[in-house]
């Protein structure tokens, strides 16, 4: 559960995405991908001129050093690139990577695939789409998650949301099915508290009788979300069947954000009745 300091906004709440930061493992992974997929293929041909040229195109800070050293050796040029890369702020790091993604003689499916693998593994809020680095998580989405943890009611919902965050944050063996299960359970927890019913479906149906008028389409939408988690093919609440469709990161992220937002909505209208 969140601490008093986190609920009051004094200390940050740990969230599952790196949106305005790049930690050590993520930066190391991004550099290794750049080295393996962009720099290493140049070495067998000893095409130092190409490496120097496209590096100079971007790195004005080390331009003189590169020109003075060319063509001394490959490793000295690479070391200049490495030192520069590890000195960059989080946003300038993505500028650097995006610059080279736009170079036709560099961008490749293997490089894009490897970058996206690293970005997903380290919970970055960004992915490579085409030759651009695009956000997959917006700050407004993260805000919904924060608010759902900071609410002063529904202890059960907080526990479920925090469990979903921890599961989604796991850098190895991420269990996306359980992220979805915990997310929808947060909604169920709030709905049951507000209505006294023992299932989400019954609680949604009873909202109008408790003075909480909810649009029928909204109720139907969340009923469908709940039904999805009960579908045997999803393997979320029931044993996995032969025609299993495993949950993905995208589905898990969507369900966490959507459930957090719905928790906030339910608590908001209950406070205003």
């Amino acid at each position: 559960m969140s601490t008093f300091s986190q609920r009051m906004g004094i200390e940050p709440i740990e969230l599952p995405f790196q949106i305005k930061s790049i930690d050590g493992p993520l930066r190391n992974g991004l550099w290794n991908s750049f080295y393996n997929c962009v720099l290493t293929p140049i070495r067998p041909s000893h095409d130092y001129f190409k490496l120097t040229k496209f590096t100079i195109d971007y790195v004005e800070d080390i331009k003189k050093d590169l020109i003075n050293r060319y063509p001394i050796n490959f490793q000295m040029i690479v070391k200049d690139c490495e030192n520069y890369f590890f000195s960059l702020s989080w946003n300038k790091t993505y500028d650097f990577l995006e610059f080279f993604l736009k170079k036709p003689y560099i961008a490749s499916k293997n490089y894009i695939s490897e970058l996206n693998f690293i970005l997903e593994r380290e919970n970055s809020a960004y992915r490579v789409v085409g030759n651009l680095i695009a956000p997959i998580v917006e700050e407004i989405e993260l805000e919904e998650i924060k608010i759902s943890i900071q609410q002063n009611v529904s202890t059960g919902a907080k526990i479920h949301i925090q469990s979903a965050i921890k599961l989604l944050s796991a850098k190895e063996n991420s269990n996306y099915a359980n992220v979805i299960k915990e997310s929808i359970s947060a909604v169920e927890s709030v709905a049951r508290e507000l209505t006294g019913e023992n299932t989400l479906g019954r609680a949604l149906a009873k909202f109008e009788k408790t003075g909480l008028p909810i649009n029928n389409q909204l109720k139907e939408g969340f009923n469908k979300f709940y039904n999805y988690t009960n579908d045997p093919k999803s393997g979320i609440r029931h044993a996995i069947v032969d025609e299993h469709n495993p949950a993905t990161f995208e589905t898990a992220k969507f369900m966490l954000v959507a459930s957090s937002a719905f928790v906030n909505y339910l608590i908001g209208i209950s406070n205003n009745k």
Side-chain angles (χ1 to χ4, degrees):
M1 182 179 294
S2 60
T3 64
F4 168 82
S5 298
Q6 289 173 328
R7 291 194 303 275
M8 297 302 292
I10 299 168
E11 291 181 358
I13 292 172
E14 185 177 348
L15 292 171
F17 308 107
Q18 297 192 55
I19 191 166
K20 284 188 176 179
S21 64
I22 293 180
D23 65 11
L26 175 54
R27 188 176 293 276
N28 289 337
L30 294 174
W31 168 256
N32 290 338
S33 297
F34 183 75
Y35 180 84
N36 292 333
C37 299
V38 177
L39 299 182
T40 298
I42 292 172
R43 189 170 188 177
S45 66
H46 298 285
D47 194 354
Y48 303 150
F49 176 75
K50 181 189 290 185
L51 173 59
T52 306
K53 180 180 181 302
F54 74 60
T55 306
I56 286 174
D57 282 347
Y58 185 81
V59 190
E60 285 294 325
D61 301 28
I62 56 176
K63 185 172 181 178
K64 290 182 180 178
D65 280 344
L66 287 170
I67 291 175
N68 291 337
R69 289 177 174 182
Y70 169 76
I72 296 176
N73 66 55
F74 177 82
Q75 285 304 327
M76 291 181 74
I77 297 171
V78 170
K79 193 62 183 175
D80 284 330
C81 290
E82 182 179 359
N83 289 339
Y84 182 78
F85 182 85
F86 278 85
S87 74
L88 295 171
S89 61
W90 73 269
N91 54 301
K92 290 296 183 183
T93 300
Y94 289 126
D95 286 346
F96 179 91
L97 296 172
E98 191 174 88
F99 176 84
F100 292 111
L101 283 167
K102 293 177 181 177
K103 296 293 183 183
Y105 50 87
I106 294 172
S108 70
K109 288 183 179 178
N110 286 341
Y111 181 38
I112 290 171
S113 244
E114 187 164 336
L115 276 179
N116 278 333
F117 172 77
I118 297 297
L119 291 167
E120 178 174 345
R121 187 188 70 188
E122 302 301 335
N123 297 324
S124 169
Y126 306 93
R127 296 290 185 274
V128 179
V129 181
N131 60 3
L132 298 175
I133 296 176
I136 59 163
V137 180
E138 300 292 346
E139 286 194 74
I140 192 169
E141 294 177 313
L142 293 180
E143 192 61 27
E144 291 293 347
I145 299 173
K146 286 182 183 179
I147 292 170
S148 68
I149 297 172
Q150 292 171 325
Q151 296 283 5
N152 292 322
V153 294
S154 189
T155 299
K158 290 179 188 177
I159 292 172
H160 286 302
I161 291 293
Q162 288 183 322
S163 295
I165 289 171
K166 286 179 183 177
L167 288 165
L168 192 59
S169 299
K171 293 185 178 180
E172 294 181 6
N173 302 318
S174 293
N175 192 327
Y176 298 138
N178 275 344
V179 173
I180 295 169
K181 180 180 177 181
E182 292 291 344
S183 299
I184 201 70
S185 292
V187 176
E188 184 175 13
S189 180
V190 174
R192 289 173 62 177
E193 284 184 32
L194 294 175
T195 63
E197 292 293 343
N198 58 6
T199 68
L200 178 58
R202 289 178 181 174
L204 289 172
K206 191 176 179 180
F207 273 127
E208 288 184 10
K209 296 178 182 177
T210 59
L212 297 174
I214 298 179
N215 180 277
N216 285 332
Q217 299 303 319
L218 283 176
K219 286 193 288 187
E220 183 62 25
F222 255 87
N223 257 324
K224 287 183 188 250
F225 287 166
Y226 189 65
N227 291 339
Y228 160 69
T229 66
N230 282 317
D231 185 344
K233 292 182 182 179
S234 72
I236 294 170
R237 287 179 176 268
H238 299 285
I240 295 172
V241 298
D242 291 339
E243 298 179 19
H244 179 223
N245 294 319
T248 63
F249 169 84
E250 289 74 18
T251 306
K253 183 209 73 162
F254 167 76
M255 289 297 287
L256 173 56
V257 173
S259 296
S260 296
F262 202 61
V263 163
N264 298 336
Y265 169 70
L266 291 178
I267 292 173
I269 63 173
S270 70
N271 288 338
N272 292 329
K273 73 173 183 175

